């Protein structure tokens, strides 16, 4: 089978297309024939060998998320059968051979039914992004219906699903993006108000948009750029959930003191089993009800994984999720 494999850590060109033996599922494991794999920024950090949560043994095939058809089940698996249409969310799986490949073997617990209404690309966009959105909103910020949520960086893989979930839960949602297309997309996906984070002074509009109250919760995709300003627009007892950060920031702690604000980190890797399981159930229910619908920005052939890694980090004007497809010829 085709797979993307890295034999050293480094720039995107360490991601090579190779031919590997088809892996066999063991006890409580399944093999999936993949149609699509999700590209997450974390996989680019892992590729450099400097990621706090995972430095894999080499050679390594990346990828936690994917979608396809169950090909073979190992002993002990009763919930899934060959032919089932499923998505893979394997970030916390004990075994995961990597979804940037034609086939993946992983724990059966990491494989879930894909609603008929969703494409394989959409299925590949569920795992890390939706579980992160769910954890940030419900397990870390503990949002309440009627609260105002600012999704700071709402146009990407995590952001759009955060907007959808928060809106469906009864929050007043403000979303930011850096492009006109991104702003339109956020609005279509449920944001009541949109702001362009590339415009000078865009957060100055927050008091007017919240009747002077400020925002109760901020789900933050670029904390190193925004945390100081976030604390200024937060309401009394507000919470900022740091989902993404790519550097350090100088901060005025008094801003947190004045409002008794909480700055909360989140990372799926830290989720206790019970909370991770709860988030899977929550996401599955939201998919079934149509509350969340992943938005696909670009599909790349599997062979273009290296380019996808470059583009997800350098892109300006995100408009959904970047995925790899197994059934597109390399261009
Ligand atoms: N903690 C966790 O467990 C966890 C899980 C998943 C992801 N993450 C992190 O969360 C971040 C987002 O992930 P993703 O998959 O959604 O990535 P993505 O699809 O590449 O989206 C990136 C988002 O960041 C926005 N952005 C760019 N400049 C910004 C700014 N100055 N202020 C606010 N937002 C800005 C982009 O908006 P425009 O392109 O429109 O400017 C886009 O909405 C990444 O840093 C990722 O590593 C963390």
């Amino acid at each position: 089978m085709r797979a993307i494999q890295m034999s050293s850590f480094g720039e995107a060109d360490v991601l090579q297309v190779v031919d590997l033996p088809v892996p066999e599922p063991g006890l409580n494991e399944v093999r999936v024939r993949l149609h699509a794999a999700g590209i997450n920024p974390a996989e680019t950090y892992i590729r450099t060998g400097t990621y706090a949560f995972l430095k894999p043994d080499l050679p390594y095939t990346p990828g936690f998320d994917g979608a396809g058809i169950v090909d073979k089940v190992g002993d002990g698996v009763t919930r899934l059968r060959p032919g089932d249409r499923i998505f893979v969310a394997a970030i916390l799986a004990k075994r995961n051979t990597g979804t940037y490949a034609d086939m993946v073997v992983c724990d059966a617990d990491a494989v879930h039914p894909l609603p008929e209404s969703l494409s394989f690309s959409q299925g590949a966009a569920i795992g890390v992004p939706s579980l992160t959105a769910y954890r940030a909103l419900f397990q870390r910020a503990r949002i309440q219906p009627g609260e105002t949520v600012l999704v700071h960086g709402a146009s990407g893989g995590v952001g759009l699903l955060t907007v959808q979930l928060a809106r469906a839960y009864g929050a007043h949602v403000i979303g930011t993006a850096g492009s006109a297309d991104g702003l339109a997309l956020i609005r279509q996906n449920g944001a009541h108000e949109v702001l362009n984070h590339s415009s000078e002074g865009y957060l100055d509009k927050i008091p007017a948009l919240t009747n002077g109250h400020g925002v109760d919760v901020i789900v933050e995709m670029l904390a190193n750029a925004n945390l100081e300003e976030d604390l200024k627009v937060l309401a009394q007892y507000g919470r900022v959930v740091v989902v993404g950060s790519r550097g350090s920031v100088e901060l005025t702690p008094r801003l947190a003191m004045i409002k008794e604000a909480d700055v909360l980190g989140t990372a799926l890797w830290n989720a206790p089993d019970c909370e991770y399981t709860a988030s899977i159930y929550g996401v599955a229910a939201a998919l079934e009800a149509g509350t969340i619908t992943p938005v696909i920005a670009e599909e790349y052939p599997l062979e273009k994984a290296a380019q996808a890694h470059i583009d997800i980090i350098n892109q300006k004007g995100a408009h959904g999720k970047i995925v790899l497809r197994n059934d597109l010829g390399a261009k």
Side-chain angles (χ1 to χ4, degrees):
M1 66 167 192
R2 291 172 309 162
I4 302 299
Q5 194 182 66
M6 43 187 270
S7 300
S8 59
F9 297 106
E11 298 296 321
D13 61 3
V14 301
L15 299 177
Q16 298 287 326
V17 186
V18 296
D19 194 28
L20 292 180
V22 172
E24 281 300 313
L27 182 68
N28 296 326
E29 295 173 354
V30 295
R31 183 166 75 211
V32 175
R33 181 177 293 279
L34 291 160
H35 285 255
I39 298 274
N40 293 297
E43 289 135 24
T44 71
Y45 319 148
I46 291 166
R47 195 199 65 228
T48 65
T50 60
Y51 188 50
F53 295 101
L54 179 65
K55 187 170 184 184
D57 294 336
L58 300 176
Y60 172 71
T61 293
F64 305 111
D65 298 341
I69 303 287
V70 173
D71 185 60
K72 187 174 179 184
V73 302
D75 287 345
V77 178
T78 52
R79 190 174 55 84
L80 296 158
R81 275 186 293 187
D84 287 354
R85 204 171 171 275
I86 56 82
F87 70 92
V88 176
I91 189 165
L92 295 187
K94 288 192 280 299
R95 185 171 180 213
N96 167 26
T97 59
T99 58
Y100 295 13
D102 285 329
M103 303 261 199
V104 65
V105 166
C106 62
D107 305 1
D109 284 350
V111 174
H112 308 280
L114 179 65
E116 282 299 327
S117 58
L118 298 184
S119 67
F120 288 119
S121 289
Q122 288 174 305
I126 294 170
V128 168
S130 68
L131 296 169
T132 300
Y134 189 95
R135 182 160 178 74
L137 287 171
F138 301 119
Q139 297 176 333
R140 301 299 286 142
R142 297 172 187 269
I143 65 160
Q144 298 298 319
E147 287 193 316
T148 298
V149 176
L150 171 64
V151 184
H152 213 165
S155 49
V158 178
L160 283 163
L161 293 172
T162 308
V163 168
Q164 294 175 4
L165 274 175
R167 173 72 191 247
Y169 194 63
H172 187 78
V173 182
I174 304 171
T176 79
S179 72
D181 284 353
L183 292 169
L185 193 61
I186 296 169
R187 211 182 265 287
Q188 276 167 30
N189 279 273
H192 296 89
E193 312 286 351
V194 299
L195 297 171
N196 188 331
H197 54 232
S198 302
S199 304
E200 190 77 14
Y202 64 100
L203 291 175
D204 295 348
K205 296 182 180 146
I206 294 282
L209 294 177
T210 59
N211 293 323
H213 176 75
V215 292
D216 300 296
V217 169
I218 300 177
V219 179
E220 179 56 62
M221 304 302 162
L222 200 59
N224 56 302
N226 298 327
L227 193 53
E228 172 89 357
E229 296 306 309
D230 285 347
L231 291 173
K232 293 181 188 165
V233 300
L234 215 50
Q236 190 86 344
Y237 314 125
R239 293 88 81 200
V240 183
V241 185
V242 176
V243 172
S245 189
R246 293 186 180 160
S248 57
V249 61
E250 198 177 302
L251 203 65
T252 309
R254 181 171 281 263
L255 292 170
M257 185 191 84
I258 293 165
K259 295 174 176 171
E260 287 210 349
D262 290 325
V263 177
L264 303 156
T266 191
L268 280 181
W269 303 92
N270 293 322
D273 285 352
C274 58
E275 291 186 12
Y276 186 77
T277 303
S279 66
I280 285 277
Y281 277 103
V283 162
L287 288 168
E288 207 173 85
T291 304
I292 56 172
T293 306
V295 177
I296 303 304
E298 310 287 348
E299 296 173 315
Y300 291 63
L302 176 66
E303 292 86 348
K304 297 277 186 183
Q307 190 61 48
H309 267 214
I310 293 168
D311 293 349
I312 197 168
I313 293 302
N314 295 337
Q315 68 178 337
K316 295 215 173 351
H319 50 287
K321 179 82 189 166
I322 294 177
V323 298
L324 299 176
R325 292 286 308 203
N326 299 65
D327 44 9
L328 297 176
K331 289 175 197 149

